[in-house]
Amino acid sequence: MGRMGFSPKHACLTDEKDPNRQKITNLTSCLLVSCQLNLHCEVRPPFSSKFPLPFFPSLPIGTKATKMSTAFSAANFSTQSFPLNHTSTTSHDSPLVFAKPTSQFLRSTRKLRLSSSSKLNLNRRSGTVVAVSDVVKQKKSKSTPTLLITKEEGLELYEDMVLGRAFEDMCAQMYYRGKMFGFVHLYNGQEAVSTGFIKLLKQQDSVVSTYRDHVHALSKGVPARAVMSELFGKTTGCCRGQGGSMHMFSREHNLLGGFAFIGEGIPVATGAAFTSKYKREVLKEADCDHVTLAFFGDGTCNNGQFFECLNMAALWKLPIVFVVENNLWAIGMSHLRSTSDPQIYKKGPAFGMPGIHVDGMDVLKVREVAKEAIGRARRGEGPTLVECETYRFRGHSLADPDELRDPAEKAHYAARDPITALKKYLTENNLASDAELKAIDKKIDEVVEDAVEFADESPVPPRSQLLENVFADPKGFGIGPDGRYRCEDPKFTEGTAHV
Amino acid sequence: MVLVLRNYKLRNSRLVPSPFPTTLTGCSKPQILRPFSFQLSPMAAIFQGVGAAAALPSSPSYSFDSNKSVFSPRRSFSVRKGASFAVVRSDGTVNLNPKDRRAQLLISNAVATKADSAAASSSSKPGHELLLFEALLEGLEEEMERDPHVCVMGEDVGHYGGSYKVTKGLAKKFGDLRVLDTPIAENSFTGMGIGAAMTGLRPVVEGMNMGFLLLAFNQISNNCGMLHYTSGGQFTIPIVIRGPGGVGRQLGAEHSQRLESYFQSIPGIQMVACSTPYNAKGLMKAAIRSENPVILFEHVLLYNLKERIPDEDYICNLEEAEMVRPGEHVTILTYSRMRYHVMQAAKTLVNKGYDPEVIDIRSLKPFDLFTIGNSVKKTHRVLIVEECMRTGGIGASLTAAITENFNDYLDAPIMCLSSQDVPTPYAGTLEEVTVVQPAQIVTAVEQLCQ
């Protein structure tokens, strides 16, 4: 039995032994066989051969599968040292509950699976799927372990993910203690996506996020103190307390927010990418290669703004990467229930950009995909759509009782905790010792504690801050009845003017 | 300073209109000009036949020039034959020069004063004549030359030159990236403009029709208005969102919307409405130079107004109102197309012996309460004439603002003439009735001044 790559979310499983087996539509039953999941990285060339094929520009069309896999190091990764999520249980032998195939999608995927298990043919049009797992089989024999990351990189990734986790846990604590209010959306479990992508960026690259943006801010470099104060609503927060949990902005670190409505940030990210292209082509700043990352969720992928921006980004070859953090749930709406074709990465080729699907619980895989996507954008080859399959361990927000999700599903993903997996990888490959990792844990704990202390001790915004920053040019408040601009009125600066 | 009043004659079939004397420049300190007491000959109606503008997309630019009689007045209006104009100098001397119709039209106005403002002599002709959409184009072009960060985005702004030709020729001059033809995705390209503005560009986003910007309401309200604040002042959004709105010539309900009433509550944006070529260019330039997000409302029917504007660089202050006609009896506050209906009514009113003070408020958000207030304090009666709907329109806000601030000065309740709360019907007769007509304005003033 060869290794199969699949994702439980897709609820499709092809067993090469019995291709006639019915599809699994029930997510829960899929989990029983999901432990086998290791590398699953489908590289989908764009739909029509008019567009550049394949995903990696260095490979001409028709390149043999083995070569393809070498170019894509995640494939290498899967052949050599054990993948992060390898588990020993081969539960695909356990009895499965099968349901009748109900969706055309599943049937088509099955066809795709079967076809891809045969010889890889990059010339194949519409629906070519390169399931790297099949490629992997061929490389298995001659594996010489080459690690994907150095020790420093590994520790950096680990520290970033632990910071994200510890910070979010502290947020929850503080929320329940009444230090912060409103909507707080925590990122537990999805750290691999944030760390995997953002740690590859430069300072001038931009990140646009959603309301689940604390960890994106931290990964981008915004100090934990600033984020925590912002959550507490203090004036020392990164947005002076005026934004809150859902509006993290940082000009210095080029974090363009923080948006409360889903999909709202995607056009803004497209605009930032447009500026980068404009600077290069119109303002002639030849070395301007700033990349923008837009993070959003599975629910957003049914929103008009998503599609409109995919179109525009592909049309003008903007240097942007669209990162879908598919955690299967939009509050209580399962992705499968709300989307006609749940495979989001397929929507990329429809617009003429590559669509990649990657295991978002595995930071190394995400990082490899991110390298390529960001590299593509930097070289001016245009946008990429990356779908990261991930999961949030907590509810949608701290107000969400999270009763709808299956405990078995949660348990399954909890077992694939990205931090534990990276830790295991680092220790088993002798990149870091337990002691070093524990030291990092401790350091992060201190950082988070310090952030809370700082936020606690910071002052709340004074009343005079109310009318500041409404307009960049405060003359926008207009001319008062006395003939002076309202902003010149002393009561205005005290915050007691009525505008 | 020189006060020049001008009208024109309808002779044969030629119409040589010009808008009522318009303002010169924006100045930081508004002032009131004491009107001179002299007998003015009644003014003719201002302009007509902007119905032609409704057919614009397929037709080349109109000229109001002499040899073309492109349109006929939609309705008859009394034009006094042999009407003349008077040049009144600041020292009180009056110079009647009926023969020279093309002489100076620049007027220094109440709000703006510049001692050496445009030449008074009737023989020199400083400035150049152009139509309102050309004025917008000129303003835009000058700003694009001045600052390479200024760019234009919108549907059909590039190769097509803009559906109302406001961006004609810009794509050839500045390239396809600076004058970007976008797909039909208002929400997203407005958001893209906002993202570009946050990261250093100064985009001018065109809505082909203001009504289409309803699709962009999400981005305009949430991001355009709010991001400067929610980011704690870190990101500025120097974007200009512009487009034609208002009731046109039988364009149907969806193309005849007045979005100023919907946008006015959004905190963080400024709204201005242009009404003459002079203030169109001035406001366009001021909006582009402003660090705030500005929404510039143009009107479909006003694109073909012709006026002589100065050659030199000038801007109109975004927060100021414009004194169109000083008066004593009643303050009429208006903006955009209704300004012309008001001026037409003013002619009738003057005939009947009233002396209305007409102010084009220009700045829809924030209101210039100083100019308005001074006027209220003088006349004690206010009539607001607007094209917005009755419910929740600019007039409603203005009524509230004036009542709050100047209630003591009012001798009578504020009257507000607005469009009917109906979707604009297609039929011409019905459409006429939905918007305020000069006859209604005359009646309202008579009622107010009892």
Side-chain angles (χ1 to χ4, degrees), chain B residues 298-315:
Chain B
E298 302 150 12
H299 197 286
V300 273
L301 297 184
L302 298 186
Y303 276 130
N304 286 329
L305 286 182
K306 194 178 218 178
E307 189 185 354
R308 183 174 290 275
I309 63 170
D311 286 327
E312 65 265 13
D313 199 44
Y314 70 93
I315 60 165

Side-chain angles (χ1 to χ4, degrees), chain B residues 42-232:
Chain B
M43 300 299 150
I46 305 307
F47 77 100
Q48 269 307 335
V50 282
L56 241 187
S58 49
S59 38
S61 61
Y62 285 77
S63 164
F64 276 30
D65 252 344
S66 41
N67 290 333
K68 289 189 205 165
S69 140
V70 192
F71 44 75
S72 53
R74 284 168 69 182
R75 47 194 157 273
S76 59
F77 54 94
S78 57
V79 177
R80 295 227 338 170
K81 299 255 158 125
S84 58
F85 68 87
V87 175
V88 181
R89 297 194 174 278
S90 51
D91 55 3
T93 55
V94 177
N95 189 5
L96 289 165
N97 197 347
K99 290 219 173 67
D100 193 342
R101 213 162 292 104
R102 251 179 242 179
Q104 199 37 247
L105 61 73
L106 292 169
I107 209 187
S108 41
N109 101 17
V111 179
T113 45
K114 219 161 131 193
D116 53 342
S117 53
S121 147
S122 49
S123 54
S124 72
K125 279 177 265 186
H128 52 287
E129 246 182 4
L130 39 55
L131 305 178
L132 195 146
F133 75 88
E134 289 169 350
L136 288 167
L137 171 55
E138 210 176 73
L140 190 49
E141 199 170 340
E142 284 174 18
E143 288 304 301
M144 287 180 81
E145 280 166 4
R146 186 173 168 266
D147 183 356
H149 291 88
V150 179
C151 56
V152 182
M153 300 177 185
E155 295 160 14
D156 274 335
V157 295
H159 294 188
Y160 195 77
S163 52
Y164 292 96
K165 301 300 173 214
V166 176
T167 49
K168 189 174 173 187
L170 293 183
K172 280 212 181 70
K173 185 169 174 186
F174 295 109
D176 275 348
L177 204 60
R178 266 193 96 178
V179 186
L180 188 71
D181 276 323
T182 61
I184 307 176
E186 278 82 6
N187 199 13
S188 295
F189 72 68
T190 308
M192 197 172 97
I194 292 166
M198 283 168 76
T199 42
L201 301 186
R202 304 186 78 92
V204 177
V205 173
E206 170 171 316
M208 193 185 269
N209 184 288
M210 265 291 167
F212 302 167
L213 291 183
L214 284 174
L215 288 141
F217 207 115
N218 173 31
Q219 291 291 337
I220 295 175
S221 172
N222 281 326
N223 290 349
C224 185
M226 296 196 196
L227 277 191
H228 183 72
Y229 192 76
T230 53
S231 68

Side-chain angles (χ1 to χ4, degrees), chain B residues 204-367:
Chain B
V204 177
V205 173
E206 170 171 316
M208 193 185 269
N209 184 288
M210 265 291 167
F212 302 167
L213 291 183
L214 284 174
L215 288 141
F217 207 115
N218 173 31
Q219 291 291 337
I220 295 175
S221 172
N222 281 326
N223 290 349
C224 185
M226 296 196 196
L227 277 191
H228 183 72
Y229 192 76
T230 53
S231 68
Q234 291 180 82
F235 291 100
T236 55
I237 307 177
I239 195 176
V240 177
I241 299 174
R242 50 159 291 269
V247 176
R249 186 79 188 274
Q250 294 192 252
L251 299 179
E254 283 144 335
H255 283 80
S256 312
Q257 299 192 70
R258 285 126 283 177
L259 253 59
E260 50 266 22
S261 51
Y262 305 157
F263 286 151
Q264 64 176 323
S265 293
I266 300 174
I269 57 160
Q270 278 188 258
M271 306 199 309
V272 287
C274 63
S275 48
T276 67
Y278 180 84
N279 63 33
K281 181 177 174 186
L283 290 174
M284 169 73 95
K285 296 179 75 141
I288 293 176
R289 293 183 197 182
S290 169
E291 291 302 314
N292 297 334
V294 179
I295 304 185
L296 171 58
F297 290 92
E298 302 150 12
H299 197 286
V300 273
L301 297 184
L302 298 186
Y303 276 130
N304 286 329
L305 286 182
K306 194 178 218 178
E307 189 185 354
R308 183 174 290 275
I309 63 170
D311 286 327
E312 65 265 13
D313 199 44
Y314 70 93
I315 60 165
C316 286
N317 206 333
L318 287 176
E319 297 91 23
E320 274 183 14
E322 182 181 319
M323 176 71 70
V324 181
R325 180 193 189 282
E328 290 280 345
H329 293 160
V330 60
T331 299
I332 306 184
L333 302 172
T334 181
Y335 66 93
S336 193
R337 177 197 175 198
M338 287 296 123
R339 167 183 172 142
Y340 297 96
H341 282 207
V342 166
M343 291 316 297
Q344 195 178 334
K347 180 197 67 83
T348 317
L349 287 168
V350 167
N351 269 343
K352 295 190 175 186
Y354 294 97
D355 189 16
E357 176 154 297
V358 181
I359 295 179
D360 181 345
I361 60 173
R362 246 169 39 184
S363 172
L364 305 179
K365 179 178 193 306
F367 295 130

Side-chain angles (χ1 to χ4, degrees), chain A residues 166-200:
Chain A
F167 190 92
E168 298 293 69
D169 285 339
M170 182 60 78
C171 276
Q173 246 191 64
M174 292 297 118
Y175 187 84
Y176 293 127
R177 279 197 211 168
K179 299 282 186 68
M180 58 177 92
F181 298 94
F183 293 127
V184 180
H185 307 83
L186 298 183
Y187 202 74
N188 296 48
Q190 298 180 200
E191 295 89 359
V193 180
S194 172
T195 303
F197 268 94
I198 300 182
K199 281 303 170 194
L200 291 168

Side-chain angles (χ1 to χ4, degrees), chain A residues 298-299 302 327-339 392 404:
Chain A
D298 44 290
N302 294 325
N327 55 23
L328 303 179
W329 293 90
I331 309 188
M333 187 66 169
S334 149
H335 178 61
L336 299 171
R337 281 185 73 217
S338 69
T339 315
R392 51 171 166 83
L404 204 56

Side-chain angles (χ1 to χ4, degrees), chain A residues 392-418:
Chain A
R392 51 171 166 83
F393 294 159
R394 289 182 178 265
H396 165 74
S397 72
L398 289 175
D400 174 18
D402 195 19
E403 290 158 348
L404 204 56
R405 301 192 297 175
D406 195 341
E409 181 189 82
K410 293 190 216 177
H412 163 72
Y413 280 101
R416 300 178 53 211
D417 188 333

